[in-house]
Structures are given as structure tokens and as C-alpha cells.
Amino acid sequence: MFTVSGLNTRTMMNVNRIVALSKKSVQVGQRLLVCNSNPTGREVLRLQQRRSIRTHSRNLAYAKSLFLGQVNKAEVFPYPEVGNEEAEEIQQLVAPVEKFFAEEVDSARIDQEAKIPPETMNGLKELGLFGMQVPEEYGGLGLSNTVYARLAEITALDGSIAVTLAAHQAIGLKGILIAGNEAQKNKYLPKLASGEHIAAFCLTEPGSGSDAASIQTRATLSEDGTHYLINGSKIWISNGATADIMTVFARTEVVKDGVKADKISAFIVERAFGGVSSGKPEDKLGIRGSNTCEVAFDNVPVPVENVIGEVGGGFKVAMNILNSGRFSMGSSSAGMIKKLIELTSEYAATRKQFNRSLSEFGMIQEKFALMAVNAFVMESMAYLTAGMMDRPGLPDCSVEAAIVKIFSSEGGWICVSEALQVLGGLGYTKNYPFERYVRDCRILPIFEGTNEILRMYIALTGMQHAGKILTGKIKELKKGNIGVAFGMAGKRLKSAFGSSVDFGLTGKDGVVHPSLEESAKKFEQNVAFFGTTVESLLYRYGKSMVDEQLILKRVADVLINLYAMTAVLSRSSRSISIGARNHDHEVLLANTFCSDAYFKNNYLMTQLQKHSPENNDANIKKIAKEVLENRAYICSHPLERTF
Amino acid sequence: MKCVRCLLQLQSLRLLGQSTRCSAQYSSLLPSASSQPGLPHSTQQQVSRSFHSSSACSKSRPVPTDFLKDQDGKKDKSLVVQKDLFEEVAKDIKTKATFNKVVEVFTKRDVRRRGHVEFIYAALKKMPEFGVERDITVYNKLLDVFPKEVFVPRNFIQRMFNHYPRQQECGVQVLEQMENYGITPNVETKVLLVQIFGDRSHPMKKYQRIMYWFPRFKHTNPFPVPRQLPEDPVDLARFSLTRIANDLDAKVTVYQVPFTDVSESGEDITCPHIVGIQSPSQMELLAQHNPSRPVFVEGPFPLWLRNTCVYYYVLRADPTPEEKKEEPYDPERCFDYPLQLDIDLERDLGDDEEFDVEDLDEGPVYAMCMSGQGDQATLNQWISGLQQTNPILGQVPTLFRLDSGPRDLQGPAETESGPRHQTDTETHNQSREEVQDEEAEEPRRTQGMKQ
């Protein structure tokens, strides 16, 4: 609120200064005109203003502001850095973990036996990997998000271990960490951090994925009011069979304003409470070494002090846990792809066909370029997001984290599959680890919120943000306010006549290095186009947009690309400026990705225009409808005859 | 154009001079057939039309009776001959084999195949009697009666004018009958037609038209009814109910298979079949039904499957007067994304692609059934069967609003369920009776469950 009103007064001043016209009816329109015409001057003002806000909280999220066609460059430029001490600490942490994974972990065996051997588990515990983000006072490593992401790069080399660790600390004990009280932390965290106890996160039920209303597990308060009795069953619980401590979500009766209502509450449940039983481990496609099973609760007595947060506040706890755990997938995927590049490039260089090595063939080269670009983008996004989350204050980076998750899970899948393709038939056999990577990788787009759901989250969160701010303007426009209409038309005309968009990324006070100027310009154009697209979508669909999933998907895709562009621009600018090793290669990667994403974005946003011939949505919906009505492929067989 | 005009003129001349007798003969033979040369002055138009228009047109054309009467004596002779052949050869057994035999007898009797046109017309008429009206091989055999290559035009003049019009028209008639019975000609038909009439003849054109449209129309009906309906009443009911419901989730339940039993007093008791269908969404609707409002068992309603008529009953309720209230939006419903946007903007008119559909005041249908008998006791058995999966039926008053049964709709084809319905409904003939006391009904229903 503060920002918006500040901005308004400022622009009004500008209006008065620049054009001395009579106010009132024209005011709104001019405000719009000015908004776009003088970005550099405004930026200075905003910086000052932001500094004053900083102390309270940072409510200027980066990704959300893109929906308004704005670039909050202070959020993402310069690229976040770690201090010297922290860098040294990372060095000390990374080396033994890398050594452990290279020498002690036998991924093929884990995959085959569908079990992580106890000695490997012990090794992981000794390295402190079970309490990476638990503060040091509770016996953990107390790592920042950035360092956590760095270690995730290495643990990702074995999918089963990565998932086991993530289920333990990214979601399993996160509830206690972020919403638990001091007593709960003191009681549970030390043992969890040391790995003596394993944690699990129990939310999903047979009839409930994202739908909180269909959670059936119920916690009823005992008559003496000292404990709850939990009944119900949860499915697909990672670490379900091994966990000693579980974060369980259950329905509780809450009396609010004299009305009884069912609300979700979060509980810390120890297996030792009794009544907890776990089913047979699921036989999975990939991540076979991690344990996934059903967990049933039969009258499990849970003391009232084990409620996380307050009774009935479980929904918020669950959402916060889910939103905070996602960002690390970016670095995990990047770590995996880097490893794959090493493995495949060796093969491509040595294998000969027609007296030429594979690496000389264009189609093979393309695959390596793809892997490199993807790894680079994922890395950039992951550490940018981690850095944003590490900044003081209570940052809301859930949209960014979701973006990272989507991009890295899908990119990871493509890269793994291409890496396998380089080896051809060999890659398909169990003699090489590629088939295992392909299987392990397939879970990424599914868990921690499927990519479809996260796309909805990204697009809707952004639309909500933009909608709040733009509603007034759009309403004026719909009422036929000439001023606003002229303002819009002017803006359109201006962009039509090729006046370049300038968010101040390049140029004199620019934050992007000149060698990336082209890419930065493309990014700026995309952002401006995105802003107008979002506005017209809001105008056209209003709140009924929730049901336009195909549109929301494109909006999310554009945003993902925009955030990825930001990340590579920011990262490579920094690399050039500090003279990082091989920074010219980074510039190459960044420019390649940006131009690629620029055209993809343009295409996506063209599809979002009204009456766009590129848009096939109506047909797509119709095809699906006809197929689903019959629940079968309904074409007649091409060999069928009618006469 | 010119060509056509010449053709018409010539044809009418020929008809006038040559064979008014013949055409008159078969016109009376096949009153519904296409070519019926009327009075001489109108002949030209009619004959030329007959190749291009359907038989339906010529059917409605008034046939001057006096003209036919005049010719009666003459034409009778050949007609009787052909009919007799069928009566002679196949006196009692009318099957495909005997039909074929008749055709064979005819072909063998005379090398010149004298009177083959008359024979074919007679055979066409006899086909349904022998039950071969849907048999492509029989039609081919019939076409085979025509002498080959005689009617094929040999020079351009013949080709230009209507060569052997009677024979051509007869060929067209064969194809026409095939068309009416929905029989697609095959390659053999084509070969025969080419051999008999040549490749640009009228029968050939008819053949091409049939071959153009038939394949295209073959799958136009998205809900085809099989030619052979299931014999078993339970199977028939199952088929009909799935057809009405058209819901892949709907589950058919056989509440009672038909059987005959001898009671203690020695009387035969026939228990009719009861087959019902209900989908999960119907169950859900029924579960939400307000127990204070009654549900109705209504029927019988007819359903035609080709020329069979079956009857079904529905369990329905009156349309609920109050508007369905929307579930209030719960912001804590979805863990992953907001289910609603909190924006005060509606969909723009230009993007509102919905259109108004007038809501009909028709209550929800909760289930359907078919039964061998339409009396209340039988239907009550169905309701008690339903109650096992829909416990709410125990609290809801059920009213029976049964019509006195199928009367005029019976139509020409007597169905399996038809006659029995007739008898059943006679017993409680009070049409649209309404039995309302649920207390009295409850125990009866439980009895039904025990059975």
C-alpha cells in the first residue's frame, strides 16, 4: 500500500512538472503515460523509497512485479554473493561430501536392492546431512539456503538419497523448524539433526492431494483435554517406514465465534506413541532406494503440546512447508546434469563412426549445448532464488521457488533423456547409469506439487497481484473513460512506432554488462509485452480466469522464461565484472538462452492475444472432450472399410 | 442439353408406339415402383423423370385407373406366369435356397430368358416373403438373370439414346430395392452391371450414386441399433437401459432374473425380470434429495429399437424449487494454489462465449428400470433393491404414478414385453393411481429385499 500511494504522489508531481495541463479528467491517462516514459528518474526515487521500507519487510517480490510489466531490478541485481568466510565454509563442507558420494555410495546397488544400506546412512549422518538447515544450537549445521542448495547439488547424484534427505528435512522436520515452539524444537530437533530420528511429512491421503477439504484423518480431543487421538491413513509417505517423528495433518474441531468448524491442524507424532503402522513399501519406477509407503494411524494419542502452531492453523503450516522446500531442486538438477555431461562427453569423444568421433556430429553437439544451457540456467535460477531467500526480512519467494522447481524438473528430464540418447543402445542397458537417472528423474515433475499445479500457483498468484492493482484502471476503461482509453492507446501507439522499452537495465546506470545488452533489451521488450498481455487478460477474463487453465499455463510459461532470463543476465553480468573463470562461455550461454526464450515468449504471448490464429485452444479442448466422452481413441482404424 | 432433349423425344415416341402394354403391366405389378407412364400426352415427362427421381415422387402421382383397367386383361397373363413359378417351385418352404432354385429354374428354362424383366420384378416383390431382402448374393443372382452384353450400346447413337430402357429401368429397380433395404452393392454387382448394361448406363449410374452415399452414411448414427436385438429379455433390457442412460459410469443391476415357480397351491407363478440402471452421479443426487419431498416411480415410457418397442420406468423427483446454493469459497481449501481470484472484475462481454440455455423444469432422474411386469409390486421390488445402495430411499416417500400401460403405441410389432404389459396393467387399471402412505409401504419393501 505504501509503495503504491508513494508512486502515485510522485507521478502526480511529475505530471505537474512536465506538462502543465488542466487536471481532473486527463489526470489518470497521463499518469499512465508518464509511468512508462521516465523509468530512470523514477528508479532513483524508488530506490530511496525502498530503502526506507527495507526495515519493515520486503513486499516487493520480483516475479510478481513482472506481471505489472515492472522490473524490480534491485531484487535481482547484482547477483547474490556469499561472503569469503562462507565460501571457505562451503569448500570445507563440499569436499568430504563429494568424496563420500564418489567412494562410498553405490547407486546401482541402492537401486537394485531398493534400500539404502545402513553403512551409507550412517555415513550421511556423520556428515551432518540430516540437519543441514537446523540451527547450530539444536545440533544442526545451520546452513543458509545458498549453502543448502550447494550441498543438494552433490546429494542429487543419487536420487534415492536425495529424496530421503529431502523428505526428512525439506518437509519432514520443516514444520517444527518454522512453526514449532521452543519446547518442541528443543525436544525434537537435536535428534532429528543428528539423524538418530528420521522425519516424515504426512499430508497426502487416498482421497486428498491438494484438496484440504477431503482430508479424512481426524484428531479428536480426549475427555481430559490432555491429548488428541488421531485416526486415519496417509499414503505415499516418503520415509514412511523408517520415520520416528512425523508431521501429521488432521482435521480438528475448532470453535470459532461460537460456530463449530473443521479445521486442519498439524501434529508432531512419534512412532513411539503407539498405534502407528506402515504398509508395504511401494515398488516404484525410480528413486527405488527411498522408502515410500502408506502410514496408518489408529487411535494414536498425541499430547496437546505437540500441536504445531495453533490448533486449526495447520493449513498455513502446510503451505509454508510446501512453498519453502522447492527451490533446491534447481541446484539438484543442475548437479545431476553437470555429472551427466562429464559422463557422456567422454563417450562422445572416444566413440568413432566413419573415422570421426561422435563429438564432431552436429546433432550430438546440439545435445551437449542443450545440456550446458539448461544446467547453466538452472544453476543461475537456483542460487538467485536461494540468495533472495537468504536476505534479511521475511521474503516471499514462493513464486520464484515454484518457477525454479518447474524449470529444473522439466529441463532435467529432457537433459537426462538426451544424455541417454548420446549413448544410444548402450544407454538403455543397466551397464550404464543413464537409465537409472532417467527413471529417478521422472519423479521430479510429479512430487513437491506437480508442475501443473505449480503453474496454476504461479499464474494465479501473479494475476491476483496484478489484478488488485489494475482493477480500478480496467473498470474505468470498461466504463468508457476517455482519459484512460487514450492513455492506453497512446502507450500502444508508442510501442507500435518502435520506441524501445527501457527499464534501465542497460545504458549509463545499467546493471547488465554491455556484452549482454542485446539480451537485456530482449528481456525488457518481453517484460513490457507481458505487462500489456496480463492487463488485457485481466480485462478480458476478470476473475473467471481461474477456469482458463490453458491461458494460465502460457502465462506461467512466459513468467518462467522471464525469470530464467533475469537469472542468467544477472549471473553472467556479475561473472564478467568480477572476472570469473570462463565468463565468456557464460555470456555465450546467456545470450543463446535469452534469444531462444525471447522468441518462445513472443510466440506464447501472441497466442494469448484475442483471435490469435496461433491459438488452438478451442480445438484442443474439443479433441479432449470428444476423447474423454468416449474414454477411448475414437478414430476408425485406417485399414477399416465402409463398403 | 440438346442430346437429352432428343433422347426424351425419341423415348416417348418409342413408348407410345411400341410398348405401352408392357409398361402398363409392370406398373400395376409394382404399384410403388417408379415408372408409370400415365396418359400418353404426359408420358414424355414421366419416363424421362423416372431415372432421376426417387420412387417416392412417382408413387404419389395419380395413376389413372381406367387406363389400368383397360390393360388388365392383357397384362395378367405374363404376371401370373411369373408368380406361378414362385408358387410352383416353393410351395411351402420359403427360404433362400428355394428362392435361388426358382431363379435357377427360370434361367435354365429358356436360353433367351424370355420375360426376364417381368420375372425380376416379380422376384423383387417376393424377396421379403422368402426373407432374402437383405442378401446381397441374391440380388446379384437376380441381376445375373439379365442376358449379358445384349443391352450394351455398341455405337455412339445407341449410347446417346436410351438403349433398352425397359431393361435398364428394371436394373435400376433392383438397385433401388437394395438401396431401400440398405444393402451396399459389391464388386460382383458392378461387374454384372457392366456386363449387362455397359459402363455408362443408367443402372451403372445408380450404382455409382449408391456407392457415393452409402459409405458416407454408414456411420452417421452415433447410436446404432444392431440389426439383431438380443433375444433374452434381460439382455435386451440391459442394452436398452445403457442406451438411454448413455453414461459410461452407469451400472446395470439385475434385481431379478425371470423364472417360473410352482407355488404351494400348485399355481404357476411367473416372476418377471427386473433390470435397473443407476450411475454414481445419480446416486449422489439421490443422496442429497430432501427426504421430506417424495420421489416418483413413473412409466411406462416407450423406447423403440428398430421395430421393437420396449418400456421403461424412471425414479424421479420434482424439480427443486429453491436455487442450488453455491458452496462458500474456502480460502483454506487448496494447499497449492488459490481456487479463486479475489478481483472485482467479471469476464468481458466480448469474451463471454456462453449462451443462454433455458432451463427446463424437469426434476432429476435418479434411476431407471425395465421389467417384465409393470405392476406396483414388481416395481416396489426394484425400489427395495435400489434401497440397498441408496439408503435414503428408506426415508423418502415413494409414489407410484403408473400409466395404464402401452396401448396405442404398441404398433405393428408385438414385443416380448408388450403383451405381458397389456395383461399386467389390466389388473390395476386405475390409471395414474397414487399410493401415498409410506408407512404401509415400508414393510412391503423390506419383504422384497428378503426375496
Side-chain angles (χ1 to χ4, degrees):
Chain A
M1 273 317 289
F2 184 53
T3 346
V4 175
S5 60
L7 198 137
N8 281 351
T9 41
R10 197 170 0 93
T11 29
M12 289 228 291
M13 274 160 56
N14 278 350
V15 170
N16 291 339
R17 205 184 307 148
I18 294 165
V19 259
L21 267 168
S22 64
K23 293 173 194 168
K24 300 231 166 160
S25 67
V26 209
Q27 220 171 45
V28 198
Q30 273 176 352
R31 205 179 291 165
L32 281 167
L33 266 171
V34 172
C35 267
N36 241 33
S37 62
N38 194 4
T40 37
R42 207 179 61 189
E43 205 48 56
V44 180
L45 274 165
R46 183 188 289 163
L47 278 175
Q48 287 171 351
Q49 191 190 339
R50 281 203 55 238
R51 221 158 286 148
S52 65
I53 300 172
R54 256 283 153 80
T55 45
H56 307 291
S57 73
R58 302 179 314 157
N59 48 10
L60 283 171
Y62 174 75
K64 279 189 204 168
S65 71
L66 288 175
F67 275 83
L68 293 162
Q70 295 166 359
V71 180
N72 261 340
K73 57 184 178 179
E75 283 289 312
V76 289
F77 290 101
Y79 197 72
E81 283 183 324
V82 290
N84 271 334
E85 288 156 41
E86 212 175 344
E88 238 164 67
E89 191 194 328
I90 292 174
Q91 278 299 318
Q92 283 171 8
L93 272 169
V94 165
V97 177
E98 248 170 4
K99 186 160 171 269
F100 179 78
F101 271 81
E103 291 168 8
E104 313 274 325
V105 176
D106 184 355
S107 295
R109 190 177 144 210
I110 293 176
D111 183 61
Q112 203 166 18
E113 291 174 2
K115 193 176 187 309
I116 303 172
E119 60 270 21
T120 312
M121 285 296 262
N122 285 334
L124 294 169
K125 286 171 190 170
E126 276 162 27
L127 285 166
L129 295 181
F130 277 80
M132 285 192 263
Q133 289 202 281
V134 177
E136 281 167 69
E137 67 249 45
Y138 303 111
L141 295 179
L143 302 183
S144 64
N145 290 311
T146 310
V147 186
Y148 176 70
R150 177 69 186 94
L151 287 181
E153 259 185 60
I154 307 162
T155 55
L157 295 181
D158 185 283
S160 304
I161 293 177
V163 170
T164 306
L165 288 179
H168 171 73
Q169 57 195 327
I171 47 178
L173 59 79
K174 209 54 162 283
I176 306 175
L177 200 61
I178 59 179
N181 56 34
E182 206 52 41
Q184 290 166 345
K185 287 183 181 174
N186 276 325
K187 186 173 176 197
Y188 290 110
L189 285 182
K191 282 188 175 172
L192 287 169
S194 68
E196 190 183 336
H197 282 167
I198 309 271
F201 181 78
C202 306
L203 176 66
T204 312
E205 288 188 15
S208 161
S210 303
D211 187 356
S214 44
I215 284 187
Q216 297 291 328
T217 303
R218 182 167 277 285
T220 33
L221 195 61
S222 65
E223 278 174 22
D224 53 4
T226 55
H227 59 270
Y228 282 93
L229 288 173
I230 295 187
N231 277 297
S233 77
K234 301 280 184 181
I235 55 165
W236 299 326
I237 307 303
S238 301
N239 298 349
T242 52
D244 310 281
I245 312 288
M246 283 165 260
T247 311
V248 181
F249 293 85
R251 218 156 249 293
T252 43
E253 203 168 74
V254 179
V255 180
K256 196 183 172 192
D257 308 329
V259 186
K260 278 186 187 173
D262 270 356
K263 289 255 179 189
I264 308 290
S265 303
F267 299 89
I268 307 171
V269 178
E270 296 177 34
R271 191 178 287 270
F273 288 160
V276 182
S277 58
S278 36
K280 206 174 110 251
E282 304 283 350
D283 194 6
K284 304 187 292 288
L285 173 75
I287 52 165
R288 296 177 56 83
S290 72
N291 173 278
T292 309
C293 66
E294 186 181 337
V295 178
F297 300 90
D298 180 30
N299 272 329
V300 182
V302 181
V304 280
E305 56 265 27
N306 271 22
V307 175
I308 304 179
E310 55 189 33
V311 178
F315 182 84
K316 285 230 163 63
V317 175
M319 237 173 63
N320 286 337
I321 295 173
L322 290 171
N323 282 339
S324 68
R326 289 180 184 128
F327 75 98
S328 69
M329 200 183 282
S331 61
S332 307
S333 284
M336 195 178 58
I337 297 170
K338 286 194 270 185
K339 176 84 178 168
L340 286 173
I341 292 178
E342 277 172 32
L343 291 173
T344 43
S345 57
E346 171 140 358
Y347 177 81
T350 48
R351 161 100 171 164
K352 295 227 168 184
Q353 285 284 291
F354 314 115
N355 291 330
R356 289 159 76 191
S357 70
L358 273 193
S359 55
E360 289 174 53
F361 294 106
M363 285 195 230
I364 301 294
Q365 291 169 350
E366 189 194 8
K367 296 186 199 309
F368 283 97
L370 177 92
M371 286 192 273
V373 170
N374 263 305
F376 177 70
V377 178
M378 280 174 210
E379 229 177 34
S380 313
M381 282 164 92
Y383 288 104
L384 175 65
T385 314
M388 281 162 80
M389 288 167 79
D390 279 337
R391 262 182 240 162
L394 262 181
D396 177 21
C397 296
S398 54
V399 176
E400 284 85 352
I403 292 175
V404 173
K405 194 262 170 180
I406 295 176
F407 187 91
S408 53
S409 58
E410 285 172 5
W413 171 247
I414 295 168
C415 289
V416 170
S417 152
E418 289 287 19
L420 188 146
Q421 186 74 19
V422 172
L423 272 85
L426 281 182
Y428 201 65
T429 63
K430 291 227 174 196
N431 303 335
Y432 286 83
F434 297 98
E435 59 88 30
R436 192 185 71 238
Y437 276 114
V438 169
R439 284 187 287 112
D440 286 354
C441 216
R442 192 58 189 82
I443 191 64
L444 299 182
I446 299 172
F447 72 177
E448 298 213 22
T450 63
N451 284 5
E452 284 74 18
I453 275 179
L454 290 182
R455 282 203 163 87
M456 290 290 282
Y457 173 71
I458 292 171
L460 287 175
T461 313
M463 281 294 173
Q464 178 67 66
H465 178 74
K468 276 253 161 72
I469 293 164
L470 293 175
T471 304
K473 181 178 154 192
I474 291 172
K475 279 201 156 170
E476 287 291 306
L477 205 61
K478 285 201 178 188
K479 262 191 254 161
N481 188 319
I482 307 270
V484 182
F486 271 126
M488 292 269 288
K491 213 163 110 186
R492 291 267 159 85
L493 267 178
K494 243 178 73 178
S495 58
F497 283 113
S499 82
S500 60
V501 204
D502 190 5
F503 291 102
L505 291 186
T506 54
K508 192 161 160 281
D509 295 321
V511 284
V512 172
H513 192 270
S515 39
L516 295 158
E517 196 176 331
E518 288 263 301
S519 299
K521 283 273 168 248
K522 281 176 180 155
F523 168 71
E524 286 176 336
Q525 275 180 38
N526 268 175
V527 172
F529 191 11
F530 187 54
T532 51
T533 308
V534 166
E535 201 177 301
S536 80
L537 286 177
L538 280 169
Y539 181 93
R540 286 170 58 193
Y541 295 104
K543 60 184 171 194
S544 74
M545 187 128 50
V546 205
D547 300 320
E548 301 288 338
Q549 293 210 344
L550 292 181
I551 286 173
L552 291 173
K553 181 186 172 222
R554 291 203 187 88
V555 169
D557 282 343
V558 174
L559 192 75
I560 291 168
N561 282 334
L562 287 179
Y563 187 62
M565 285 163 101
T566 318
V568 294
L569 285 173
S570 173
R571 175 190 172 176
S572 25
S573 290
R574 169 180 174 268
S575 295
I576 305 168
S577 308
I578 66 165
R581 184 162 44 90
N582 293 334
H583 61 253
D584 53 336
H585 187 64
E586 285 187 27
V587 175
L588 186 62
L589 290 174
N591 280 331
T592 313
F593 177 77
C594 283
S595 84
D596 200 27
Y598 171 70
F599 290 112
K600 276 184 194 156
N601 275 343
N602 275 341
Y603 184 69
L604 285 168
M605 286 188 281
T606 316
Q607 283 186 317
L608 287 176
Q609 305 308 303
K610 205 173 179 176
H611 305 308
S612 153
E614 289 89 348
N615 188 325
N616 245 343
D617 288 358
N619 284 358
I620 288 168
K621 282 182 191 163
K622 207 170 166 188
I623 292 171
K625 190 172 155 249
E626 281 170 12
V627 169
L628 290 171
E629 255 171 21
N630 293 281
R631 299 187 194 170
Y633 170 76
I634 55 172
C635 297
S636 70
H637 195 275
L639 300 182
E640 228 170 70
R641 286 174 64 105
T642 51
F643 58 91
Chain B
M1 271 315 285
K2 201 176 173 187
C3 204
V4 173
R5 217 177 299 131
C6 288
L7 190 139
L8 292 178
Q9 277 167 5
L10 248 159
Q11 203 179 21
S12 59
L13 276 176
R14 206 187 312 165
L15 272 168
L16 276 176
Q18 183 188 23
S19 59
T20 25
R21 202 200 80 190
C22 285
S23 42
Q25 261 174 16
Y26 60 77
S27 73
S28 69
L29 226 173
L30 278 172
S32 67
S34 54
S35 85
Q36 284 164 352
L39 293 166
H41 65 263
S42 67
T43 317
Q44 179 186 336
Q45 194 199 1
Q46 282 181 8
V47 169
S48 65
R49 274 259 206 99
S50 65
F51 286 122
H52 304 284
S53 65
S54 77
S55 60
C57 294
S58 47
K59 227 188 288 180
S60 59
R61 218 166 284 147
V63 181
T65 43
D66 51 346
F67 176 73
L68 287 174
K69 268 180 203 158
D70 284 348
Q71 309 291 333
D72 257 353
K74 294 174 205 166
K75 80 187 174 193
D76 264 348
K77 202 177 160 195
S78 65
L79 171 82
V80 167
V81 168
Q82 303 310 346
K83 269 199 169 166
D84 279 356
L85 194 59
F86 279 99
E87 297 301 324
E88 247 169 55
V89 179
K91 256 179 211 137
D92 313 310
I93 339 140
K94 297 191 169 177
T95 60
K96 185 180 169 182
T98 51
F99 190 90
N100 282 343
K101 196 154 176 238
V102 176
V103 179
E104 264 165 46
V105 166
F106 177 81
T107 31
K108 286 205 183 125
R109 202 166 58 177
D110 184 2
V111 189
R112 291 190 180 77
R113 313 259 164 100
R114 188 167 295 154
H116 64 267
V117 171
E118 288 80 0
F119 174 75
I120 290 171
Y121 277 124
L124 282 179
K125 210 176 175 195
K126 285 276 176 192
M127 280 177 94
E129 248 174 73
F130 284 75
V132 291
E133 75 275 16
R134 292 183 203 285
D135 196 329
I136 176 72
T137 53
V138 174
Y139 282 102
N140 284 341
K141 204 162 175 76
L142 217 50
L143 281 176
D144 207 14
V145 169
F146 280 111
K148 309 291 169 321
E149 291 178 10
V150 183
F151 313 131
V152 180
R154 290 184 200 176
N155 52 46
F156 75 97
I157 297 177
Q158 286 179 345
R159 204 165 286 130
M160 203 153 55
F161 301 111
N162 206 354
H163 200 49
Y164 284 101
R166 261 192 79 214
Q167 280 73 6
Q168 286 207 42
E169 194 152 322
C170 181
V172 169
Q173 201 51 48
V174 175
L175 290 165
E176 177 98 13
Q177 185 162 332
M178 289 171 83
E179 188 186 329
N180 288 342
Y181 282 110
I183 310 298
T184 318
N186 58 14
V187 185
E188 205 187 325
T189 322
K190 186 181 179 182
V191 171
L192 279 167
L193 288 174
V194 171
Q195 277 180 349
I196 299 163
F197 299 110
D199 54 359
R200 303 255 173 101
S201 55
H202 288 294
M204 200 54 206
K205 279 181 188 155
K206 177 78 186 170
Y207 167 84
Q208 283 162 344
R209 280 181 198 123
I210 293 177
M211 289 312 279
Y212 183 84
W213 288 113
F214 264 32
R216 281 164 180 74
F217 283 157
K218 198 174 175 192
H219 295 292
T220 36
N221 184 0
F223 305 103
V225 185
R227 174 116 358 242
Q228 272 295 325
L229 288 170
E231 292 286 329
D232 183 33
V234 176
D235 286 342
L236 184 68
R238 193 190 296 271
F239 170 79
S240 326
L241 285 171
T242 18
R243 186 178 162 81
I244 309 172
N246 192 26
D247 183 346
L248 292 169
D249 286 324
K251 217 179 110 218
V252 175
T253 318
V254 180
Y255 295 101
Q256 185 173 290
V257 281
F259 65 97
T260 2
D261 201 7
V262 183
S263 70
E264 289 164 11
S265 54
E267 291 165 27
D268 276 1
I269 303 172
T270 32
C271 290
H273 66 275
I274 307 172
V275 183
I277 193 165
Q278 197 181 30
S279 68
S281 47
Q282 282 176 319
M283 282 170 80
E284 211 172 285
L285 267 179
L286 184 52
Q288 288 162 7
H289 181 81
N290 179 1
S292 62
R293 305 177 64 82
V295 291
F296 306 103
V297 177
E298 286 186 356
F301 301 108
L303 169 75
W304 283 94
L305 303 161
R306 292 199 187 271
N307 38 24
T308 310
C309 187
V310 288
Y311 295 89
Y312 64 95
Y313 299 84
V314 295
L315 176 72
R316 57 164 284 259
D318 274 337
T320 39
E322 71 268 40
E323 277 290 299
K324 247 193 169 180
K325 53 179 175 184
E326 292 244 325
E327 258 183 60
Y329 172 59
D330 177 9
E332 297 199 351
R333 176 79 195 259
C334 179
F335 285 116
D336 293 296
Y337 61 91
L339 294 175
Q340 269 185 24
L341 283 179
D342 183 22
I343 315 172
D344 189 22
L345 280 174
E346 296 301 326
R347 203 185 183 89
D348 191 51
L349 280 178
D351 283 279
D352 197 356
E353 276 146 14
E354 285 185 0
F355 41 86
D356 281 338
V357 180
E358 200 173 339
D359 286 332
L360 281 178
D361 271 351
E362 204 168 351
V365 173
Y366 297 131
M368 285 182 289
C369 95
M370 277 187 180
S371 156
Q373 274 174 23
D375 59 313
Q376 200 182 315
T378 315
L379 292 174
N380 207 20
Q381 236 170 304
W382 168 49
I383 298 295
S384 55
L386 270 180
Q387 200 179 330
Q388 291 183 3
T389 43
N390 302 276
I392 193 176
L393 279 175
Q395 310 153 29
V396 184
T398 313
L399 306 186
F400 288 83
R401 298 205 291 207
L402 303 176
D403 276 340
S404 55
R407 286 152 307 191
D408 44 342
L409 273 169
Q410 202 51 44
E414 288 288 305
T415 61
E416 288 153 70
S417 56
R420 256 183 272 164
H421 260 298
Q422 210 87 44
T423 51
D424 298 337
T425 41
E426 270 162 27
T427 53
H428 63 116
N429 223 347
Q430 322 96 307
S431 95
R432 280 214 166 292
E433 60 169 343
E434 298 197 359
V435 187
Q436 194 151 11
D437 50 339
E438 46 182 307
E439 288 84 5
E441 225 150 80
E442 223 50 23
R444 236 192 292 165
R445 206 178 289 164
T446 40
Q447 262 182 2
M449 257 155 55
K450 272 172 203 157
Q451 288 173 354

